[in-house]
Amino acid sequence: MNFSDHFSSHASEYAKYRPRYPEALFEYLAAITPEHKLAWDCGTGNGQVALSLTAYFQQVYGTDASEKQIAEAFGHDRIRYWVTTAERTEIPNSAIDLITVAQALHWFNFDLFYQEVRRVLKPNGVIAVWCYGFFTIPSADEQLNQALAQYYQAVEAFWPSERQLVEQKYETISFPFVELTPPSFAMSIEWNVAQVIGYLQTWSATQRFIAQHGIEPIAKMCDRLTNVWGDSQATKLISWPLSLRVGHL
């Protein structure tokens, strides 16, 4: 199958600037999964979820349609990576205890992916999908918030159409499973302004903006962010609330 590839061109930067998901999320998913033999992280990207799952599962499959993303993924002796679309894999029937999809479900063909989920998931297995939108900086002053808003507004029109599903927190996506009510989770990390800018420049919207308008407008907005940040080496807490949906067959 063809797939929407918005990340292969900057896979190394993507791997460098992806924030890590909270350990409590994986503790929760392991707690609600009856068996812990095999997990599948679908749309694994740089493999950060697959790596976290190794603490709880005997083996982890990490798949992604992008060969360049897989080439940048974290290595581990209990992770098997391979390049394939979400909708058609070589995973045996009824083999998977837990399926995870982090910030990737909106790229999939839902009907075909859910068909694959039903084929490979064990009868008592769990599927968990989640996404996150724009981050917050709790300590940010008005100038910094304005600079961040200016950046987002400048590139907003360049998000692929599927991004709207993220803005809707995956609430409008069909989820044909027996759904559970999970607790709330958020990613958080301490970053300096260079790290924030590095992350912003991995956005597919940023890359598409640059392709049309060149780097200069982005550079100017990043300079403004640096100027209003304060000490450029100082770190600030960055937070992304997660929108999580969990279910089983």
Side-chain angles (χ1 to χ4, degrees):
M1 290 183 61
N2 293 326
F3 73 103
S4 299
D5 189 0
H6 300 285
F7 306 102
S8 290
S9 63
H10 53 291
S12 61
E13 292 301 294
Y14 184 92
K16 182 178 180 180
Y17 291 111
R18 287 298 97 178
R20 296 293 299 271
Y21 297 107
E23 193 61 32
L25 169 63
F26 301 103
E27 292 174 358
Y28 164 73
L29 295 177
I32 64 171
T33 304
E35 297 181 79
H36 300 89
K37 294 179 181 178
L38 183 57
W40 172 29
D41 183 41
C42 185
T44 196
N46 67 350
Q48 62 168 310
V49 170
L51 186 63
S52 292
L53 290 171
T54 61
Y56 303 95
F57 291 83
Q58 295 175 19
Q59 187 175 16
V60 178
Y61 291 163
T63 66
D64 201 283
S66 168
E67 184 175 355
K68 290 185 178 179
Q69 286 276 52
I70 291 293
E72 297 289 340
F74 299 106
H76 193 282
D77 59 3
R78 292 207 304 277
I79 303 176
R80 177 195 167 191
Y81 292 111
W82 74 96
V83 179
T84 187
T85 61
E87 296 84 358
R88 183 179 300 170
T89 73
E90 298 176 0
I91 298 173
N93 294 344
S94 303
I96 303 296
D97 297 302
L98 172 68
I99 297 173
T100 55
V101 185
Q103 197 73 350
L105 182 64
H106 51 290
W107 305 122
F108 299 170
N109 178 305
F110 303 137
D111 290 341
L112 293 179
F113 173 62
Y114 291 148
Q115 180 178 318
E116 187 72 348
V117 168
R118 287 188 286 268
R119 185 183 70 80
V120 304
L121 197 63
K122 290 180 180 179
N124 58 354
V126 172
I127 176 171
V129 303
W130 64 89
C131 66
Y132 56 90
F134 197 31
F135 59 85
T136 63
I137 303 179
S139 65
D141 59 19
E142 184 177 356
Q143 284 188 313
L144 179 53
N145 280 326
Q146 287 177 348
L148 289 168
Q150 178 197 31
Y151 188 101
Y152 190 88
Q153 290 163 7
V155 304
E156 185 175 14
F158 291 85
W159 287 116
S161 60
E162 295 91 340
R163 172 73 183 191
Q164 186 64 29
L165 298 172
V166 174
E167 302 297 338
Q168 295 165 353
K169 301 180 179 180
Y170 280 2
E171 293 173 355
T172 59
I173 293 179
S174 64
F175 195 66
F177 305 100
V178 179
E179 194 158 2
L180 309 178
T181 302
S184 298
F185 298 98
M187 289 188 297
S188 60
I189 195 170
E190 290 276 345
W191 269 351
N192 62 31
V193 67
Q195 290 168 309
V196 169
I197 289 171
Y199 167 72
L200 293 173
Q201 293 186 349
T202 68
W203 285 0
S204 57
T206 298
Q207 296 299 312
R208 295 173 80 183
F209 180 99
I210 291 171
Q212 183 166 328
H213 295 292
I215 190 65
E216 185 176 353
I218 293 292
K220 287 182 178 179
M221 288 186 287
C222 291
D223 286 343
R224 184 187 176 198
L225 280 171
T226 301
N227 291 336
V228 300
W229 186 271
D231 179 358
S232 63
Q233 297 305 309
T235 61
K236 301 181 190 293
L237 181 67
I238 318 296
S239 180
W240 297 259
L242 300 182
S243 299
L244 172 65
R245 300 185 72 178
V246 181
H248 58 83
L249 296 178

